[in-house]
Amino acid sequence: MEKQIYLIGGSKGGVGKSLVTMALVDHLLEQGESVLLVESDTSNPDVWKAYKDAVDAHLLNLDEADGWIELVNLCDNAPKSVAVVNTAARNNRGVSAYGQTLNSTLAELKRKLVTLWVINRQRDSLELLKEYMAAIPNAEVHVVRNGYFGEEKKFELYNGSNVRKTVEDQGGKSVTFPDLADRVSDDIYSKRLSIARASKELPLGNRAELSRWKGAVAKVLSEIIV
Ligand SMILES: Nc1ncnc2c1ncn2[C@@H]1O[C@H](COP(=O)(O)OP(=O)(O)OP(=O)(O)O)[C@@H](O)[C@H]1O
Ligand SMILES: [Mg+2]
């Protein structure tokens, strides 16, 4: 079966890219997939730190051509793994400049590039999405409203936007990522835990909340992941 490249974007800082990436990696592992993780947030590689012992994990600088070349080569050398790329807040320029390197190899890699674009409720998330879609026109793009910032109907700007129409006309989905109780997400971040480890090691009450959230995440991701 064709193995995708999932790119978790959003460009803006703090929208939830890392947590969505962790949730996706965890979900893929539970499906029995082997995962190639690429962390491009080299200054704060939070996902890499949590998953480096669990999956094949690499730190790459996607602000530079080298990083994109390496990304293509890693994907080429691991044809049986699903690739998951966590982007950093500042990667937008690199994506526009070099994303074509990846784009032009997709056919030969026999992979599809699937983007999960994570948004908060502000306008810049949408402007950056337009730039991204212009830079990599044949990426499949899904928009992830991060429920951390409020319930679905509060994402009025996105919900009523033209960019939403464009995304959905191209077959992309708009989904809402569930909110995880702060004390549990704080545990995961401060202890650099993978979700699988947190599901074993946290106190019972915290684990129960994590399990509820994971169930909700699985429902959302199964709309996007085939
Ligand atoms: N759905 C959520 N439930 C609970 N907490 C969340 C959720 N989404 C984000 N957070 C919290 O918001 C903070 C920022 O999230 P995260 O690190 O995933 O964002 P980011 O987009 O990767 O940020 P950066 O651009 O700095 O890499 C984290 O402390 C995280 O705990
Ligand atoms: Mg991050």
XYZ file of all heavy atoms in Angstrom, residues 14 16-19 39 41 44 46-47 86-89 189, ligand 2:
109
model
N 2.463 28.046 18.391
C 1.528 27.718 19.457
C 0.119 27.340 19.032
O -0.791 27.329 19.860
N -0.757 24.373 18.002
C -1.008 22.976 18.354
C -0.399 21.978 17.384
O -0.767 20.794 17.385
N 0.536 22.427 16.548
C 1.146 21.533 15.557
C 1.803 20.324 16.227
O 1.640 19.186 15.778
C 2.205 22.284 14.725
C 1.658 23.461 13.954
C 2.745 24.194 13.175
C 3.814 24.846 14.031
N 3.320 25.926 14.901
N 2.542 20.595 17.314
C 3.264 19.487 17.950
C 2.308 18.462 18.556
O 2.523 17.259 18.431
C 4.216 20.019 19.029
O 5.270 20.730 18.417
N 1.253 18.947 19.192
C 0.317 17.995 19.802
C -0.422 17.187 18.733
O -0.633 15.977 18.891
C -0.671 18.724 20.728
C -1.488 17.802 21.627
C -0.604 16.961 22.544
C -2.505 18.583 22.459
N 11.306 15.911 12.470
C 11.051 17.096 13.301
C 11.830 18.246 12.701
O 13.048 18.170 12.541
C 11.534 16.808 14.724
C 11.622 18.005 15.649
C 10.267 18.538 16.081
O 9.746 19.408 15.363
O 9.756 18.092 17.133
N 11.394 21.434 13.859
C 11.507 22.490 14.855
C 12.813 22.269 15.608
O 12.845 21.683 16.692
C 10.313 22.437 15.814
C 10.186 23.721 16.624
O 11.182 24.474 16.689
O 9.108 23.960 17.179
N 13.233 23.922 19.201
C 12.439 23.342 20.285
C 11.841 22.025 19.803
O 10.652 21.929 19.522
C 11.326 24.329 20.703
C 10.421 23.740 21.767
O 10.839 22.887 22.558
N 9.169 24.153 21.784
N 10.240 19.363 20.414
C 9.474 18.677 21.455
C 8.971 17.292 21.019
O 9.017 16.343 21.801
C 8.323 19.557 21.981
C 7.552 20.299 20.888
O 7.734 19.965 19.706
O 6.751 21.178 21.232
N 8.550 17.179 19.765
C 8.030 15.879 19.316
C 9.178 14.877 19.186
O 9.069 13.719 19.598
C 7.273 16.021 17.974
C 6.717 14.678 17.541
C 6.155 17.041 18.107
N 6.740 17.243 11.367
C 6.261 18.331 12.226
C 6.974 19.608 11.835
O 8.199 19.671 11.857
C 6.568 17.995 13.692
C 6.047 19.059 14.648
O 4.965 19.605 14.455
N 6.823 19.361 15.686
N 6.236 20.634 11.449
C 6.909 21.869 11.038
C 6.993 22.864 12.191
O 6.262 22.770 13.169
C 6.210 22.542 9.834
O 4.922 22.970 10.242
C 6.101 21.590 8.660
N 7.897 23.803 12.025
C 8.107 24.830 13.043
C 7.393 26.107 12.621
O 7.095 26.310 11.453
C 9.598 25.088 13.202
N 7.173 26.971 13.591
C 6.428 28.203 13.333
C 7.052 29.018 12.206
O 6.365 29.643 11.417
C 6.351 29.034 14.607
N 3.984 17.442 28.104
C 5.017 18.381 27.671
C 6.174 18.465 28.650
O 7.334 18.427 28.255
C 4.423 19.782 27.448
C 3.852 19.944 26.066
C 2.631 19.383 25.729
C 4.559 20.631 25.089
C 2.106 19.517 24.462
C 4.045 20.768 23.807
C 2.821 20.209 23.506
O 2.312 20.330 22.246
Mg 5.688 22.714 17.850
